[in-house]
Amino acid sequence: MKVRDVMSRSVRTVKPETKIAEVASLMCLYRFHGLPVVDDEDRLVGIIAEKDLLHSLFPKLDKLMSEGMHSVDLDKEMARYSEILAMSTADLMTPNPVTVDPEMHVLRAATVMVRHNFRRIPVAEGGRVLGMLSIGDVHKAIFQASVTSGLTGA
């Protein structure tokens, strides 16, 4: 079973210059956990995930070392979210993301995802995004294949 057979083909992408406010809106409204970032020629240049936005709110290590964990005002750190919303996707995205090939076997793709601790990964060919693959897509496909073969083999 190939990645192409189970990937999600309807993929929303954003540009590097897209404001984080728009990215956060898409994530919150449509439950996107991550979005591929493409350039003007639709080539994959990065990925922006919820963790990238939230990671910006975490106190930096040097601040924790100088002030101590218990003295950091976490509510004040959360208030900085409005500053993050004004940033561009390029400021927070992970450049050159790991991808899987559409012709890859789904278990090999799942191995890549597990190794990198990803729940979803872009499917790309020739630098262009063709879809997204989630752990749920892989599990569902394997389950359906198992049930189908179990019913026909009985």
Side-chain angles (χ1 to χ4, degrees), residues 41-44 99-102 123-130:
E41 286 82 42
D42 282 333
R43 287 186 307 257
L44 182 66
T99 63
V100 293
D101 187 273
V123 180
E125 189 172 56
R128 303 239 186 299
V129 178
L130 301 179

Side-chain angles (χ1 to χ4, degrees), residues 23-32 50 81:
V23 171
S25 293
L26 291 168
M27 289 176 170
C28 292
L29 291 173
Y30 299 105
R31 293 185 169 182
F32 293 135
E50 286 175 316
Y81 190 67

Side-chain angles (χ1 to χ4, degrees), residues 30-49:
Y30 299 105
R31 293 185 169 182
F32 293 135
H33 303 286
L35 296 163
V37 183
V38 296
D39 64 14
D40 291 332
E41 286 82 42
D42 282 333
R43 287 186 307 257
L44 182 66
V45 295
I47 193 153
I48 184 82

Side-chain angles (χ1 to χ4, degrees), residues 10 19 21 33 37 42 49 52 55 57 70 77 79 86 94 98 104 113-114 121 129:
S10 59
K19 292 294 181 198
H33 303 286
V37 183
D42 282 333
D52 297 321
H55 186 262
L57 297 175
H70 298 292
E77 294 295 324
T94 300
V98 176
M104 185 181 280
M113 295 166 70
V114 168
I121 193 167
V129 178

